[in-house]
Amino acid sequence: MAKKCIGCGIELQSENSSRNGYLPENVLNGENKELLCQRCFKIKNYGQYIPVRMTREDYRDEVRKSIESAKVAIPVFDIIDFEGSFDDEILDILREMDSIIVINKLDLIPDEKHPSEVANWVKERLAEEGVAPLDIAIVSTKNGYGINGIFKKIKHFYPEGVTALVLGVTNVGKSSIINKLVGAKRSTVSKFPGTTLKSIEVKIPYTNITLIDTPGLIPEGRFSDLVCQECNQKIIPANEISRKTYKIDKDRVILLGGMIKLVNKTEGDLKPIFSLYASKGVTFHETNLERAEEILGNTALLNPPCEKCIDEYNKNNIITETLTIETGEELVFKGLGWLSVKRGPLTVEITYPEAGELIVRNAFIKPKR
């Protein structure tokens, strides 16, 4: 029987060091039964990223195969990049299966919000997608908040035990949640996307609950996926995100890094008021129309993208469109951040790469009266 990496699930081999799952022969055939492939070992011990040779479709196929043995789905969503946590594959599964939704990264929300407020907003947003979960768990893997609540919810609905499919897109924290539930550092946890390569079955100790850790799906439309790995890590928040509020004149420009140009086109004397939210690694810069293009060409002032990935990034087709966002609505830059209108309407001209996706939604961060 082939041995598998306990970190990413890949089948281990000692023939080719450039292929996934490599281990030196003496280690592979040694007495240790809990083996890590070379890639997982370097990620865990040195934080070294080794790119993988798997396509978006490879990840989807692996998740589809795992569905057959599971009775309940446990999808993990990132509350800071909620729209970027969606994938059509995940939504289709949730429309067909019972689910217990896990919302991660509660600790990164910039304004104080009670978990019940977050749960209610998520429930409404999922209803728009035709998804009605059994329950919702709000957690933070960083400080451990709510992890035991996931276990209690599974036990409540499946007192005799169950096999649960844990799924989500890359970078939402699936493997961290599984490790905390089983009380051991089994699945490889890293800041890099696509760390889990094959589905891994683990059991919560002293229970009949089996968790299937699936590879992170790669969704379409995330701005964070349009840049190099170094810039990608700046876009993904590790701490509470940045927020800046604006009340600007018509034709003033705001640049989100070198990725998005926003031009205020609102008519009338009453200036709109809005806030921008993004990772602390994303630069906010206000300027005028004349200076905007000059500044956009200077990666030292604005990043991401950085000088290393700017040529690749510029291969994207850049488009411009005009949207009007009302008070109490948010414009989401999928995988990058969002704009929340406190006093509207705000009419804004947006220039951005066509591969990135924009979404207008009801505000997660409600305007304060």
Side-chain angles (χ1 to χ4, degrees):
M1 184 176 176
K3 296 179 180 180
K4 294 184 178 181
C5 171
I6 65 166
C8 70
I10 197 76
E11 187 173 306
L12 295 169
Q13 54 87 21
S14 59
E15 290 78 33
N16 189 338
S17 61
S18 63
R19 276 177 45 215
N20 293 330
Y22 176 75
L23 260 186
E25 187 174 1
N26 64 317
V27 179
L28 180 60
N29 296 324
E31 295 182 4
N32 189 359
K33 295 182 179 180
E34 296 200 338
L35 297 170
L36 286 174
C37 69
Q38 181 176 260
R39 174 174 172 269
C40 282
F41 182 84
K42 289 183 177 181
I43 289 174
K44 277 191 169 185
N45 292 284
Y46 304 111
Q48 182 180 341
Y49 179 59
I50 302 174
V52 293
R53 294 170 177 82
M54 285 182 73
T55 66
R56 180 179 270 109
E57 197 56 35
D58 289 334
Y59 286 111
R60 291 173 187 268
D61 287 343
E62 190 62 32
V63 172
R64 289 184 197 122
K65 283 189 289 184
S66 301
I67 292 173
E68 299 171 7
S69 56
K71 189 172 181 180
V72 63
I74 302 183
V76 180
F77 294 133
D78 178 345
I79 193 60
I80 298 300
D81 184 25
F82 192 71
E83 312 304 329
S85 302
F86 279 172
D87 178 273
D88 288 340
E89 188 84 19
I90 294 173
L91 293 175
D92 287 343
I93 291 170
L94 299 187
R95 292 180 189 116
E96 298 296 326
M97 288 182 74
D98 285 339
S99 62
I100 297 170
I101 307 286
V102 176
I103 305 297
N104 192 19
K105 305 187 183 179
L106 177 68
D107 56 294
L108 302 189
I109 297 174
D111 290 330
E112 285 190 16
K113 290 183 80 68
H114 193 275
S116 63
E117 290 182 87
V118 178
N120 289 336
W121 183 86
V122 168
K123 195 177 296 183
E124 290 176 7
R125 183 66 187 85
L126 289 174
E128 295 173 13
E129 303 291 340
V131 175
L134 295 172
D135 209 340
I136 297 174
I138 310 296
V139 309
S140 166
T141 53
K142 190 171 183 179
N143 59 30
Y145 175 86
I147 299 296
N148 194 44
I150 303 173
F151 173 69
K152 288 180 178 178
K153 292 177 193 300
I154 298 172
K155 285 287 288 180
H156 172 75
F157 289 104
Y158 301 96
E160 303 302 317
V162 72
T163 297
L165 181 74
V166 185
L167 71 164
V169 302
T170 56
N171 293 124
V172 296
K174 288 187 298 86
S175 295
S176 294
I177 287 168
I178 287 174
N179 285 345
K180 288 185 181 296
L181 283 170
V182 301
K185 293 182 179 179
R186 293 187 62 86
S187 299
T188 298
V189 175
S190 85
K191 60 184 180 179
F192 306 115
T195 302
T196 303
L197 302 179
K198 296 288 184 178
S199 296
I200 307 168
E201 290 193 13
V202 292
K203 206 165 188 178
I204 298 179
Y206 314 112
T207 74
N208 289 322
I209 300 170
T210 298
L211 306 176
I212 306 175
D213 183 11
T214 60
L217 293 163
I218 305 170
E220 303 282 355
R222 290 195 304 193
F223 286 86
S224 55
D225 294 327
L226 305 181
V227 294
C228 71
Q229 191 57 48
E230 187 177 328
C231 287
N232 179 281
Q233 296 312 306
K234 291 179 181 178
I235 292 173
I236 299 167
N239 300 296
E240 185 176 307
I241 62 175
S242 292
R243 172 187 57 190
K244 191 166 183 181
T245 299
Y246 294 90
K247 181 182 177 184
I248 58 175
D249 293 324
K250 185 184 176 186
D251 289 330
R252 290 292 288 176
V253 180
I254 297 174
L255 305 173
L256 272 71
M259 305 186 79
I260 294 175
K261 181 174 78 171
L262 304 170
V263 184
N264 178 23
K265 291 294 183 182
T266 310
E267 302 285 352
D269 296 330
L270 193 63
K271 296 178 186 177
I273 301 173
F274 59 94
S275 295
L276 286 173
Y277 298 84
S279 165
K280 293 182 185 296
V282 177
T283 308
F284 298 164
H285 191 95
E286 182 189 347
T287 186
N288 57 38
L289 286 167
E290 292 71 27
R291 282 274 293 155
E293 295 306 315
E294 179 184 341
I295 293 169
L296 274 171
N298 189 340
T299 55
L301 287 175
L302 294 172
N303 63 72
C306 68
E307 196 166 349
K308 286 193 300 184
C309 68
I310 196 75
D311 290 339
E312 190 67 30
Y313 178 79
N314 283 339
K315 290 178 184 177
N316 288 282
N317 185 32
I318 305 299
I319 61 174
T320 299
E321 65 176 301
T322 301
L323 295 173
T324 297
I325 305 101
E326 303 292 340
T327 302
E329 289 185 334
E330 291 173 346
L331 174 63
V332 178
F333 316 107
K334 193 173 177 181
L336 178 63
W338 73 92
L339 179 158
S340 183
V341 176
K342 312 297 183 182
R343 185 176 74 193
L346 167 68
T347 299
V348 62
E349 181 186 273
I350 311 160
T351 301
Y352 65 102
E354 188 176 28
E357 186 177 348
L358 306 182
I359 297 166
V360 177
R361 70 183 184 191
N362 290 329
F364 172 59
I365 306 291
K366 298 289 185 184
K368 293 182 179 178
R369 294 183 180 276

